[in-house]
Amino acid sequence: QVQLVESGGGLVQAGGSLRLSCGASGSILSFNAVAWYRQAPGKQREFVARIAIGGSTSYADSVKDRFTISRDNAKNTVYLQMNSLKPEDTAVYYCNVLRTVDNYWGQGTQVVR
C-alpha cells in the first residue's frame, strides 16, 4: 500500500504561482510513474502532468509551458510548479502513483484561482 499526501493548494491571484507537493510513503524510484490529475467542479478528472521512473515528463496541452513537474528522490516527494495560473486551473489536484499494475491516489488539494 502506498500513502500519498498532497499539500500546497490555496487561493491565488491572477497570473500567480503555486507549488504543489506530493509526499509518498515509499521510495518514488520504486514507482513506474507519478502523475498529477485535477478535477474541476462538474467535470471529469483529467490528466495534468507525469514524471516517469527514468525522469521523462509529459504534460497536458492546457498546462504545457506553465506547469513543471519535478521530484526530490531523497524526500520521496513530487512537485508541481504552477505558474501563470488561469481561472480554468481551479480544481482539486490529485497525486497519482502507478506501481506495476496498481494505482494509488492522494486525497487531493484545492487550487482556486
Side-chain angles (χ1 to χ4, degrees):
Q1 190 76 9
V2 176
Q3 306 295 326
L4 302 171
V5 178
E6 300 102 329
S7 61
L11 179 65
V12 63
Q13 294 183 342
S17 299
L18 281 176
R19 188 178 77 160
L20 306 183
S21 299
C22 173
S25 59
S27 171
I28 59 175
L29 293 179
S30 69
F31 306 147
N32 299 80
V34 181
W36 287 95
Y37 287 75
R38 66 186 181 186
Q39 188 166 17
K43 295 188 177 181
Q44 290 190 333
R45 192 171 297 189
E46 64 176 4
F47 168 75
V48 175
R50 176 182 292 112
I51 185 164
I53 186 172
S56 61
T57 58
S58 57
Y59 298 90
D61 288 342
S62 59
V63 306
K64 205 170 292 184
D65 299 326
R66 297 189 299 123
F67 291 10
T68 302
I69 189 170
S70 63
R71 68 188 183 196
D72 185 328
N73 299 336
K75 295 182 178 179
N76 292 322
T77 300
V78 172
Y79 303 100
L80 184 68
Q81 178 67 43
M82 306 186 295
N83 299 327
S84 302
L85 283 162
K86 303 176 180 180
E88 52 264 43
D89 295 319
T90 293
V92 177
Y93 284 71
Y94 297 92
C95 182
N96 168 267
V97 160
L98 175 65
R99 187 175 69 178
T100 60
V101 297
D102 295 320
N103 265 289
Y104 301 92
W105 294 91
Q107 83 289 349
T109 185
Q110 177 78 54
V111 172
V112 179
R113 152 58 187 95

